[in-house]
Amino acid sequence: MMGIPQQVLAAYGLTGSDTVIKAFGTGLINHTWTVEQQGKKYILQRINTHVFTEPEAIADNISRIAAYLAEQAPDYFFVAPVVARNGRQLITIAGDQGGSFRLFPFVPGSHSKAVATSAAQAFEAARQFGKFTRLLAGFDARSLHATIPGFHDLSLRYRQFQQALETGNADRIRESAELIDYLEAASHLVDRYVAIQQDIHFKVRVTHHDTKISNVLFNDADKALCVIDLDTVMPGHFISDVGDMMRTYLPTVSEEEQDFSRIDLREDMYHAIVEGYQLEMGEELSSREKQAFFYAGQFMIYMQAIRFLADHINNDTYYGARYPGHNYVRAGNQVVLLQKLNALQQKLDR
Ligand code: GN1
Ligand code: MG
């Protein structure tokens, strides 16, 4: 496990011998810990600066959003980072063991869920992500930094995938022929994205870009309290948020599942996401946007499939691999998911 430099704990006054630190969560990119001292609990995160090359951009986005919400929606529950002793919300330490760290208060009585187990939970989560974007409808989304430039730009992701096919591991490319063929044949999904980008009826909004259920805090009565993990909040389209909910809440198993026969889709989750999101965003969305709910799911699943496969072909330099072929399996999982979603198009795309 990656350690936490002493200077980081010192910056927050958490160096006492009674401080208890535990690894937390399952994110692929950042490292997260819980830190407990004298009955007070925090979440500490180390930002992966290979991925988020400008952590100060994240800090700036979050401060500006926090200030806007405090003024325009003072009752909205927003979990702001703890300010360190030096007045900053990011502690950057040089060197191998260093990185950029920030601390959040642990919200008392809250919990997060690794997976969505009921449609009611999906509804609650979708509502929270919709509410977040709705409350920020008056905020100039384009003024936010793109914390990962081109993060959900499907054209860029497709070009990166094509690039991997040109310069990547030749053995892996050969062995992946079936997945590559399928994904190339489905590139009309990229064309639709290009059309959306050019469509003035698709507004650029403040979008979360990482709407997995573990990024929602719930209370003991299973009501959602707020959204967390705002690193990828940046200008985007609503299909990113709705689509990643579909990608991660619809299937009965996660992207890690190796036995693809266990991948089944839960239609009630689909309706819960659409209803929960629309309850908040219904008035905001244009009729063209409302016609893109089903596409949102295809868009995000397809993008994740090409990202996993490109990473496999590039020798796992982005996501890492815990076993040989890990990202190949993840990509295959996402392709099965996409096929299962496509099979429901007649029924759900209305
Ligand atoms: C990464 O780190 P985590 O698990 O929150 C990735 C997402 C992917 C996800 C797939 C910055 O998110 O885009 O959907 O893995 N985040 C980044 O599990 O690349
Ligand atoms: Mg994340």
Side-chain angles (χ1 to χ4, degrees):
M1 185 179 99
M2 188 163 286
I4 303 168
Q6 220 27 45
Q7 300 112 286
V8 172
L9 296 171
Y12 293 104
L14 291 171
T15 42
S17 56
D18 56 341
T19 307
V20 180
I21 299 172
K22 292 182 189 149
F24 185 77
T26 54
L28 299 182
I29 302 298
N30 295 332
H31 270 79
T32 309
W33 299 268
T34 57
V35 180
E36 230 173 322
Q37 195 197 46
Q38 293 172 356
K40 274 201 164 166
K41 202 168 166 186
Y42 304 90
I43 295 280
L44 179 69
Q45 261 195 329
R46 177 184 192 274
I47 297 174
N48 179 334
T49 46
H50 293 290
V51 172
F52 296 98
T53 51
E54 286 181 60
E56 290 295 341
I58 300 177
D60 187 55
N61 281 354
I62 295 180
S63 316
R64 289 174 45 225
I65 286 174
Y68 179 90
L69 289 171
E71 205 181 293
Q72 302 292 325
D75 294 336
Y76 180 68
F77 188 51
F78 185 82
V79 188
V82 176
V83 176
R85 289 181 162 177
N86 63 4
R88 305 187 58 85
Q89 52 160 301
L90 260 187
I91 301 299
T92 300
I93 310 283
D96 267 8
Q97 289 299 304
S100 278
F101 294 80
R102 74 294 180 51
L103 189 75
F104 293 96
F106 189 96
V107 178
S110 76
H111 67 274
S112 63
K113 300 174 188 303
V115 287
T117 52
S118 72
Q121 293 169 359
F123 179 86
E124 282 290 308
R127 232 195 125 161
Q128 283 300 322
F129 287 114
K131 183 176 181 183
F132 179 73
T133 296
R134 176 176 63 76
L135 290 177
L136 289 159
F139 183 96
D140 178 12
R142 290 180 198 268
S143 73
L144 291 174
H145 306 276
T147 55
I148 301 177
F151 187 42
H152 282 188
D153 178 343
L154 188 56
S155 315
L156 172 71
R157 295 301 184 185
Y158 194 76
R159 286 198 299 280
Q160 291 172 335
F161 172 55
Q162 293 296 309
Q163 183 68 42
L165 297 179
E166 274 168 37
T167 56
N169 180 325
D171 291 334
R172 291 187 176 193
I173 293 172
R174 213 172 315 112
E175 290 153 10
S176 307
E178 212 180 311
L179 285 182
I180 294 168
D181 288 349
Y182 179 84
L183 290 167
E184 288 188 331
S187 67
H188 53 90
L189 294 171
V190 184
D191 302 336
R192 178 148 182 203
Y193 171 72
V194 172
I196 284 176
Q197 266 186 314
Q198 291 163 358
D199 186 338
I200 53 162
H201 301 292
F202 277 79
K203 199 174 158 193
V204 172
R205 306 174 183 283
V206 179
T207 323
H208 186 283
H209 289 100
D210 191 8
T211 55
K212 57 163 113 45
I213 199 114
S214 61
N215 282 337
V216 177
L217 294 186
F218 286 83
N219 68 14
D220 292 339
D222 247 13
K223 291 287 170 222
L225 297 170
C226 62
V227 303
I228 54 170
D229 189 3
L230 305 183
D231 302 339
T232 53
V233 170
M234 58 183 127
H237 293 294
F238 91 100
I239 54 171
S240 282
D241 285 0
V242 165
D244 215 35
M245 287 192 266
M246 291 182 180
R247 184 182 80 80
T248 55
Y249 310 171
L250 262 51
T252 42
V253 291
S254 80
E255 65 194 20
E256 297 296 336
E257 180 58 54
Q258 303 178 38
D259 177 359
F260 298 164
S261 72
R262 296 189 59 214
I263 303 175
D264 274 312
L265 293 195
R266 302 176 287 191
E267 287 175 42
D268 59 335
M269 291 286 188
Y270 181 92
H271 299 296
I273 294 166
V274 175
E275 280 161 30
Y277 195 80
Q278 294 232 51
L279 188 58
E280 296 288 341
M281 282 290 288
E283 309 260 288
E284 271 294 317
L285 294 175
S286 68
S287 55
R288 305 268 297 187
E289 287 176 309
K290 285 181 185 163
Q291 287 159 15
F293 271 91
F294 186 81
Y295 172 71
Q298 295 176 303
F299 164 74
M300 283 305 299
I301 297 168
Y302 181 75
M303 178 153 53
Q304 197 61 61
I306 62 176
R307 288 179 69 194
F308 280 144
L309 191 57
D311 196 41
H312 172 67
I313 290 168
N314 289 331
N315 297 321
D316 313 304
T317 47
Y318 187 84
Y319 286 113
R322 286 195 302 275
Y323 60 87
H326 194 163
N327 286 306
Y328 176 77
V329 170
R330 287 165 164 161
N333 169 308
Q334 297 294 291
V335 164
V336 171
L337 189 52
L338 181 57
Q339 290 167 334
K340 299 230 161 165
L341 182 65
N342 287 341
L344 292 174
Q345 181 150 15
Q346 287 265 349
K347 231 167 144 183
L348 298 179
D349 193 3
R350 311 178 256 160

